[in-house]
Amino acid sequence: MKQKLLFITILFTAFSFAQTKSVIKGKITDKDMNNAPLAFANVSVKGSSNGVTTNEKGEYSISLPSGEYVVVFSFIGYETIEKIIDLKPNQTIELNVALGSGGYKLDDVVIKSVKKRNTETAILTEIKEAKQVVSAISAEQMSKGTDGNAAQAIQRIPGITIVDGKFVMIRGLSERYNNVLINGSLAPSTEIDKRTFSFDLVPTGLLDKMVIYKTGSADKPGDFSGGIISLNTIESTSDFTKFDISFGYRSKTTFNDYLQSEGSNTDFVGIDNSFRPLPSSFPTTSQLNNSAATSQLRVDAARSLPNNFDTNASNAFLDNSTGFSLGRKINLGNTKIFSVNALNYSTSYQSFSRSFRRYNFLNAGEARPTDWFTFNDMNYQQEVRITALSNWSLKTAKSKFTFKNLFNQIGENETTIRQGINFNQQANNTLKNYMYAYKSRSIYMGQLNGDHNLNSNNNIDWVVGYNYIRENEPDLRRFRTFKDVNSTSDNYTFQDPSSSNLFSGRYYGNLREFSANNGVNYTYTINRDSETEERSPIKIKAGYLADYKFRIFKSRYVSYVLKDYLTSARKDELTNLPLSTIFSNENINNQNGWVLEEGTKPDDSYKADNTLLSGYINTELPLGKFDINMGVRIENNTQKLRAFSNGNPVNVDNPVTSILPSLNIGYNINEKSLVRAAYSRTVNRPEFREIAPFLFYDFEYEVLKFGNADLKVATIDNIDFRYEWYPSKGETISFGGFYKKFTNPIEQIIQRTAEDPSFNFKNATSAVNYGAELEIKKSFKDLTNIPILNRLSININASYIFSEVDLGAAAQSQDSKRALQGQSPYIINGALGYEDEKGLGINLIYNRFGNRIFSVGDDAFNTYYEIERNQLDATISKKFKKLKVKLGLQNILNDPFKLMEDSNRDNKISKANDNVISSFKRGSLYTLGFSYNL
C-alpha cells in the first residue's frame, strides 16, 4: 500500500516544473449595450482549469507561464469567443473583447451558437440559479475520474453513497427513498426484489450531467425523500466520430481460475434463448402434477433438460470495453437537426473468497454466541453488457424536439461453491453446496420531448416516455452435497430432497414490465422590466403527469427426487455419482433412477399494475433579494396486485390521494452568495415486489424473501437550509442542514420462518432524520508562485446524519428506538486534482461511509449492519491532439465488504462484542483506456 501511495505522489510532482509567469489582461464589454462593461463574464484557458471572472468594471487579469494558449471568453446567453495567444516570457498582453448575443465569425475567432450545459462552470451556474437545494456533476467532471458508469460517478456528489456498486443512497437514506428521471421521464425500477434503479446501466460517456434535487417542488414527482436524480444523456451540437477501448486487470481475478457451468453459444451477447430455458415441449405444471411418478412423461421431461451440473475451469481474461460514438449536425435553413449514436460492448470478471457465518442467540452469561454455521464461498462472476444509445434533436426558431433512446442488454453468469459445517442441523457432516445462476436482462428507456416558446410570455414543454424491462433467470440450479466431517475423501454425496423444494432443484423465473408516462408543463411569464429598472419576472407554472406501470412475473421450479421404491443400495449408488453424470439420461428413469418432481405453486407468480395521476400549480416570485418558489401538487396513486399466499388469493387495491405542498425561499446576499430554506411534503410508496407474497430462496444469505401485502404509503415532511458561496469561476463553498420526519417508513426486516431467518418488509411507526452537509470546491490557482500547486484543485464534501426510528408497540426484544434501516451516520467524499496546460491530468478520489443497518432484527435474530468502508481511486490522463490516454487505479485500498450482527443488541457495532456475518474483498482494478477522435 505504501508503495502505491508513493507512486501516486511521485506522479504529481514528476510532470511539473517552474516557469516564468506572463499576464493576459483586458476588458470584456457587452456589444449589444453600446459596449457597456460586462461583469462576471468568464475568461478561461482551454484544456485547463485556469480561469477568472471579470469584476464589476468588466476587467480581468490572468497569469500564465509562457507558451501558446487558446483563451475562451464566455457569458451565459452570449456567444463564446476563442482567441489564440502566443505568450512570451514576462510579457503582458492586453486583450479587449466585446461579446454579443448574435452569431458571427472572424478569422481568429470561433463562435459557438449552442450553449454548453455539461461543463463544471455551467453546472455550478445551474446550481446557483436553481430554486431548490440542488447538487450535480457534469460530464467534464466525470471525465476526470476512473468512473465508467453513472453509479461510480454520482458518489462524487455531496451526501451520496453507493450500495452493491450500482444503487444510490442520498444523505444516507436507503435507495428506496429516491426517484429517478431519465431526460425528464420517470425511470423504471430495474430490480425484481427492491425499489431502486441500477445506475451502472448508464456509461459516463453517454451522460451530459446528473442533477440531484434534494428538496421538493410542485413541478417534480412527489414520491421521494432522499432526492430526485435527473440523468440527462448526451446531445450532439457538432460533428464527431469517436472510438474508445479499454482493458482492466483485477487483482485476485484476472488470469486466475474461473469456474462456470456449461452455457449457451449466445452468452457473449448477454442472451440465452435456447440452452438454459425450458424447452417449448416441456410439460405444463398441471400436466406434471397430474402425471404418475413413474410416468414416461416425467422421464422425457427430465431428459429434455441439459445435464450441466458440473463446472468447467478456465482463466479469467482481462476486463475489456469497446465503444463507438458518432455525432452529426444537419442544417436545414432555420431548422437544425442534431444526432448522436453510440454503441458499447464490455465484459468483466470477478472472483473472490467470502467468509459467511451465522450465530445462535447470545444467552445470558455468554461472552460470544455459538456458531450456527461457518461457510466459505468461492464466487465467480462474469458480466457481458451491450449498451446502445440513439439521441436526436430538432430545433426551429421557437421549438425544440428531442427523441432519446437507451437500451441495455446484460448477461450475468455467477457460480458459487460453498463449503463448511452447519452445526445446528448437520454437525457431523462437511457440506459443499452449489449455485449456478444466469440472468439475462433487456432494458429499454425512451423519451420524446418537446419545448415550445410560444412568445415572450408563454412556454409549453412536454414529455412522453416508455420503458420496457424483461428479465429471464433460466435454470437457476441450487443443490447440496455432504460427506462425513472426518472423511479424507474428495467424494461428496448428493443430498436428495424428500420433495421438490426451493433449496435443491432447477428454478426458472421470468419478469416483464411495461410503463408509459406523459407530462405537460405550461409556464406563464410576467415580465416586470421598465425603461429605468430591470426586474426578475414572475413565473406561474402548471401541469400534469400520468404514469401507468404493469408487471407480470412468473416462476417455476422442479427437483430430482428418489422414490421410496428404490433400494437403499441403489439410492447410495445414485447419490454418490460424479456431478458430471449424476443426472445423465441413463440415471433418469421410472424403474430405478431419478424422477422429476414439480414444485411450482400458485404463490410463485403475480401480476401488478400502478396508475399515477398528478397535477400541480407552482409560482416563482422574486421579491427584491428574495426568490420564492411555492406550489402544491396532488397525486392520486392506485396500486393493484393479484397473487396467492398459501394457495389463497391475495388482491391489493390501494388508491391513495396525497396533497403535497412545497415552499423554497432563496435570499441573495450578493452576487456571489445566497441562503436557501425549504419545506416540502413527500411520500414513499411500496414497490410491487415488496407487497407480493412470492417466496424466494436467497442462496447468498441463506434466507427466504417475501413481501407484505399490508404495507402502507410512507409520508415525509422535509425541511432544508443551505448557505452557498461562489468565490470565483468553478468554485463553491456551501453548508447546509436538513430535517425529515417520517410517518410509516418502510424497512427491510429479519423475522423467523420456522427455524430459519427470512427477509420481509414492514412499516415502522415513525422516524426522524436530520443532519448537516458541507461542500468545498476550490482551485489553488494564483495562491502561490509555485506552478505545481497552482494547478491543483480540491473537492471535499461531507455529511453527518442522525436518525431514529420509533417502533412503538411493535418493538420485540429490542429497544423501541434505533437508527433508520439503511441510514449511514456520516459520508465523506474527497477529490484532489492536477491539470496543466499541456493536457496532463491526475486525480485522486476518496469515499467513506459509516456503519448502517442492512436488515432489522426481531426477537429471534439480531440486526445486521453493513460496516464502514474506505475507497480510494486514482486516474492519470494525457491528451495527444486527437488521442486521450487514461490510466486508472480503482479500489486501491481494497477494504473488505463486511456485514456484522449486533450480537449484544446495544444498537452499535464493536469488533470486541459483535460478530462478522459476511466478509470479502473485490480486489483492486487497474485500467488502461484509449479514446480517439477522428
Side-chain angles (χ1 to χ4, degrees):
M1 179 54 57
K2 291 181 179 179
Q3 292 176 336
K4 292 179 181 177
L5 294 177
L6 178 60
F7 171 68
I8 294 166
T9 304
I10 292 172
L11 283 170
F12 265 91
T13 59
F15 292 96
S16 305
F17 53 89
Q19 298 185 41
T20 305
K21 292 279 186 174
S22 300
V23 176
I24 302 173
K25 68 177 183 178
K27 186 175 184 179
I28 299 180
T29 57
D30 189 335
K31 185 168 57 178
D32 298 330
M33 298 296 292
N34 296 319
N35 287 323
L38 191 58
F40 307 110
N42 300 311
V43 183
S44 61
V45 177
K46 191 172 185 179
S48 80
S49 59
N50 290 317
V52 296
T53 56
T54 57
N55 60 22
E56 291 81 357
K57 298 179 181 180
E59 298 169 338
Y60 74 92
S61 177
I62 182 170
S63 299
L64 295 168
S66 60
E68 187 175 280
Y69 301 98
V70 177
V71 183
V72 182
F73 301 87
S74 63
F75 190 71
I76 294 175
Y78 286 67
E79 63 199 352
T80 296
I81 293 179
E82 297 183 359
K83 285 185 175 288
I84 299 174
I85 302 297
D86 187 7
L87 270 179
K88 302 296 188 294
N90 296 317
Q91 183 182 19
T92 298
I93 292 180
E94 185 168 341
L95 186 59
N96 300 321
V97 175
L99 298 181
S101 58
Y104 62 95
K105 188 173 184 179
L106 299 176
D107 290 341
D108 61 341
V109 177
V110 178
I111 306 301
K112 300 183 184 293
S113 59
V114 179
K115 187 163 55 179
K116 289 188 176 181
R117 302 180 184 274
N118 61 358
T119 65
E120 292 190 62
T121 302
I123 284 294
L124 282 178
T125 302
E126 182 175 339
I127 293 172
K128 182 179 178 182
E129 296 180 352
K131 307 305 178 184
Q132 301 157 260
V133 174
V134 171
S135 297
I137 186 171
S138 66
E140 182 182 13
Q141 186 176 347
M142 285 185 273
S143 68
K144 295 179 179 179
T146 60
D147 305 326
N149 58 60
Q152 294 169 348
I154 201 172
Q155 64 185 320
R156 315 307 175 193
I157 296 176
I160 300 297
T161 49
I162 296 298
V163 179
D164 295 337
K166 52 189 172 182
F167 307 126
V168 171
M169 299 177 68
I170 299 176
R171 289 173 166 174
L173 280 171
S174 168
E175 62 266 28
R176 64 163 299 101
Y177 289 104
N178 302 328
N179 210 333
V180 180
L181 301 175
I182 304 286
N183 300 315
S185 173
L186 287 172
S189 177
T190 58
E191 306 300 307
I192 289 181
D193 288 334
K194 62 174 72 175
R195 174 200 157 116
T196 190
F197 181 84
S198 183
F199 283 83
D200 65 333
L201 297 176
V202 188
T204 52
L206 301 183
L207 285 170
D208 253 356
K209 60 182 178 180
M210 291 187 285
V211 180
I212 298 179
Y213 301 92
K214 296 182 178 179
T215 60
S217 179
D219 60 343
K220 297 291 189 296
D223 187 357
F224 82 98
S225 179
I228 295 176
I229 306 168
S230 176
L231 279 70
N232 289 81
T233 56
I234 55 175
E235 292 184 26
S236 172
T237 57
S238 61
D239 293 350
F240 71 89
T241 303
K242 183 180 178 183
F243 293 90
D244 298 278
I245 187 169
S246 67
F247 299 94
Y249 175 89
R250 191 183 299 274
S251 62
K252 306 297 185 182
T253 295
T254 306
F255 304 135
N256 288 350
D257 289 343
Y258 175 77
L259 302 183
Q260 178 184 312
S261 67
E262 183 181 0
S264 78
N265 56 10
T266 58
D267 282 3
F268 76 99
V269 290
I271 300 172
D272 183 352
N273 287 328
S274 59
F275 184 73
R276 298 180 186 87
L278 288 172
S280 58
S281 60
F282 198 81
T284 64
T285 296
S286 59
Q287 287 174 331
L288 278 182
N289 280 333
N290 293 329
S291 65
T294 57
S295 69
Q296 190 62 35
L297 177 73
R298 295 198 181 195
V299 174
D300 293 340
R303 290 178 175 176
S304 70
L305 301 178
N307 178 28
N308 56 342
F309 280 79
D310 202 2
T311 57
N312 299 316
S314 62
N315 292 115
F317 189 59
L318 294 166
D319 288 6
N320 57 88
S321 174
T322 305
F324 169 75
S325 54
L326 179 74
R328 290 295 181 265
K329 177 175 67 175
I330 304 171
N331 290 319
L332 301 174
N334 293 329
T335 301
K336 294 179 174 61
I337 297 176
F338 303 95
S339 77
V340 58
N341 297 275
L343 183 66
N344 183 273
Y345 177 87
S346 64
T347 304
S348 62
Y349 296 87
Q350 176 85 77
S351 61
F352 54 85
S353 174
R354 170 181 177 245
S355 169
F356 179 39
R357 307 171 77 104
R358 183 176 295 162
Y359 306 90
N360 294 305
F361 194 79
L362 182 65
N363 297 310
E366 289 182 336
R368 183 186 182 279
T370 56
D371 289 326
W372 181 323
F373 59 65
T374 61
F375 290 131
N376 184 77
D377 293 354
M378 284 305 303
N379 198 283
Y380 307 90
Q381 300 172 357
Q382 181 193 23
E383 181 185 86
V384 172
R385 177 171 299 181
I386 298 174
T387 301
L389 176 140
S390 183
N391 289 352
W392 296 78
S393 63
L394 183 150
K395 294 182 180 180
T396 64
K398 291 189 175 182
S399 295
K400 177 182 178 181
F401 299 89
T402 60
F403 180 41
K404 297 188 173 184
N405 305 271
L406 181 64
F407 174 79
N408 278 273
Q409 181 64 48
I410 306 121
E412 300 168 311
N413 212 318
E414 182 175 3
T415 299
T416 302
I417 302 175
R418 173 172 294 162
Q419 288 184 273
I421 300 176
N422 187 326
F423 298 98
N424 282 17
Q425 296 173 347
Q426 291 178 275
N428 295 322
N429 291 324
T430 298
L431 306 180
K432 191 173 185 180
N433 301 338
Y434 295 79
M435 183 189 76
Y436 304 143
Y438 181 81
K439 185 184 295 183
S440 174
R441 289 189 290 167
S442 304
I443 304 174
Y444 169 77
M445 294 172 281
Q447 308 84 33
L448 178 63
N449 303 72
D451 194 320
H452 311 281
N453 186 19
L454 305 179
N455 52 47
S456 61
N457 301 107
N458 297 275
N459 182 272
I460 293 177
D461 66 86
W462 52 268
V463 61
V464 176
Y466 176 76
N467 304 307
Y468 170 74
I469 298 177
R470 180 172 182 176
E471 178 170 302
N472 286 324
E473 194 166 11
D475 204 8
L476 168 62
R477 283 143 290 150
R478 295 166 294 194
F479 57 96
R480 301 172 174 181
T481 66
F482 66 94
K483 69 176 182 179
D484 187 274
V485 70
N486 297 314
S487 173
T488 58
S489 170
D490 292 333
N491 184 60
Y492 282 79
T493 300
F494 190 91
Q495 184 173 317
D496 61 304
S498 58
S499 62
S500 185
N501 61 61
L502 291 168
F503 308 98
S504 184
R506 312 181 84 142
Y507 168 90
Y508 302 83
N510 179 274
L511 176 142
R512 285 178 295 157
E513 181 174 299
F514 312 85
S515 62
N517 57 78
N518 169 236
V520 177
N521 304 292
Y522 168 73
T523 304
Y524 178 69
T525 302
I526 303 174
N527 294 307
R528 302 191 295 165
D529 291 346
S530 65
E531 293 183 358
T532 59
E533 185 180 8
E534 182 178 340
R535 303 172 64 192
S536 298
I538 297 173
K539 293 184 179 181
I540 300 173
K541 195 173 182 180
Y544 74 84
L545 173 68
D547 178 70
Y548 177 75
K549 185 188 304 178
F550 173 75
R551 175 185 288 187
I552 180 168
F553 173 78
K554 296 180 179 180
S555 68
R556 188 175 182 184
Y557 64 93
V558 294
S559 301
Y560 298 97
V561 298
L562 297 175
K563 291 299 183 180
D564 292 338
Y565 54 75
L566 270 68
T567 65
S568 297
R570 178 56 176 164
K571 288 182 179 181
D572 289 342
E573 179 186 354
L574 288 170
T575 55
N576 282 282
L577 289 171
L579 293 177
S580 58
T581 59
I582 189 170
F583 297 120
S584 58
N585 286 348
E586 60 268 21
N587 294 320
I588 299 173
N589 58 68
N590 49 16
Q591 286 86 36
N592 62 351
W594 295 97
V595 173
L596 195 68
E597 189 83 9
E598 179 74 53
T600 313
K601 303 179 182 64
D603 303 28
D604 297 319
S605 300
Y606 66 87
K607 293 181 180 180
D609 65 86
N610 193 90
T611 302
L612 171 66
L613 301 173
S614 61
Y616 74 90
I617 185 168
N618 192 75
T619 301
E620 293 180 14
L621 180 62
L623 293 175
K625 290 190 173 184
F626 286 93
D627 283 325
I628 301 174
N629 179 290
M630 56 186 176
V632 64
R633 184 180 187 91
I634 299 177
E635 294 191 346
N636 177 267
N637 192 83
T638 302
Q639 192 171 56
K640 295 182 179 181
L641 174 79
R642 293 162 295 285
F644 289 86
S645 178
N646 297 320
N648 300 313
V650 174
N651 291 294
V652 175
D653 188 349
N654 189 22
V656 177
T657 298
S658 304
I659 300 175
L660 309 173
S662 62
L663 174 65
N664 292 268
I665 300 175
Y667 178 75
N668 297 284
I669 301 171
N670 52 47
E671 290 290 340
K672 294 189 176 183
S673 61
L674 69 154
V675 176
R676 302 183 191 272
Y679 165 79
S680 62
R681 170 166 288 184
T682 57
V683 296
N684 183 237
R685 302 184 179 101
E687 182 57 35
F688 291 143
R689 180 62 183 97
E690 295 171 343
I691 62 173
F694 163 63
L695 188 67
F696 180 77
Y697 166 54
D698 185 319
F699 183 90
E700 180 180 4
Y701 293 108
E702 283 280 343
V703 296
L704 297 171
K705 288 184 175 181
F706 58 95
N708 178 3
D710 296 324
L711 283 180
K712 303 173 185 176
V713 174
T715 302
I716 309 101
D717 290 293
N718 310 271
I719 298 174
D720 284 81
F721 171 85
R722 188 159 83 173
Y723 168 76
E724 301 171 8
W725 179 37
Y726 300 88
S728 62
K729 177 198 170 186
E731 297 183 343
T732 181
I733 297 175
S734 66
F735 177 78
F738 57 89
Y739 174 87
K740 300 176 182 294
K741 180 174 175 55
F742 297 78
T743 303
N744 300 320
I746 300 170
E747 298 186 300
Q748 177 178 279
I749 64 170
I750 307 173
Q751 67 181 54
R752 181 195 294 268
T753 302
E755 293 183 359
D756 298 314
S758 61
F759 288 166
N760 193 6
F761 302 93
K762 190 175 183 179
N763 292 103
T765 304
S766 63
V768 294
N769 175 299
Y770 55 87
E773 293 178 324
L774 172 69
E775 180 180 19
I776 300 173
K777 190 171 187 178
K778 176 64 180 173
S779 170
F780 287 16
K781 182 177 61 68
D782 295 332
L783 290 182
T784 72
N785 293 321
I786 305 173
I788 185 173
L789 294 181
N790 289 339
R791 298 178 184 129
L792 295 176
S793 62
I794 59 168
N795 188 344
I796 299 173
N797 60 76
S799 302
Y800 180 80
I801 309 109
F802 173 84
S803 68
E804 185 176 78
V805 172
D806 187 351
L807 301 178
Q812 297 179 358
S813 299
Q814 55 181 309
D815 292 340
S816 62
K817 295 183 178 181
R818 55 159 171 78
L820 186 66
Q821 185 256 323
Q823 175 71 68
S824 291
Y826 67 86
I827 303 159
I828 301 171
N829 292 306
L832 175 64
Y834 171 92
E835 188 173 4
D836 69 10
E837 298 78 13
K838 297 183 179 181
L840 175 68
I842 305 175
N843 290 273
L844 277 176
I845 302 172
Y846 173 78
N847 169 260
R848 179 184 173 91
F849 65 85
N851 297 340
R852 56 197 179 207
I853 294 178
F854 175 78
S855 198
V856 178
D858 69 354
D859 59 327
F861 297 101
N862 297 320
T863 294
Y864 291 176
Y865 282 78
E866 184 178 0
I867 303 305
E868 59 195 9
R869 187 168 63 250
N870 300 283
Q871 176 149 335
L872 179 66
D873 303 331
T875 61
I876 306 164
S877 62
K878 174 65 177 175
K879 295 178 181 177
F880 303 91
K881 294 184 179 180
K882 294 183 177 183
L883 175 67
K884 182 177 181 179
V885 181
K886 181 186 286 189
L887 174 66
L889 296 81
Q890 196 173 94
N891 194 26
I892 297 171
L893 302 177
N894 196 23
D895 270 13
F897 290 73
K898 188 179 295 185
L899 293 182
M900 295 182 69
E901 72 164 19
D902 181 14
S903 301
N904 60 1
R905 301 198 167 206
D906 62 353
N907 291 327
K908 60 183 179 181
I909 292 296
S910 165
K911 292 182 180 179
N913 300 318
D914 300 309
N915 297 285
V916 176
I917 296 292
S918 170
S919 181
F920 65 94
K921 292 185 176 183
R922 292 193 179 276
S924 300
L925 178 64
Y926 307 88
T927 60
L928 179 63
F930 303 88
S931 179
Y932 186 78
N933 283 283
L934 293 180

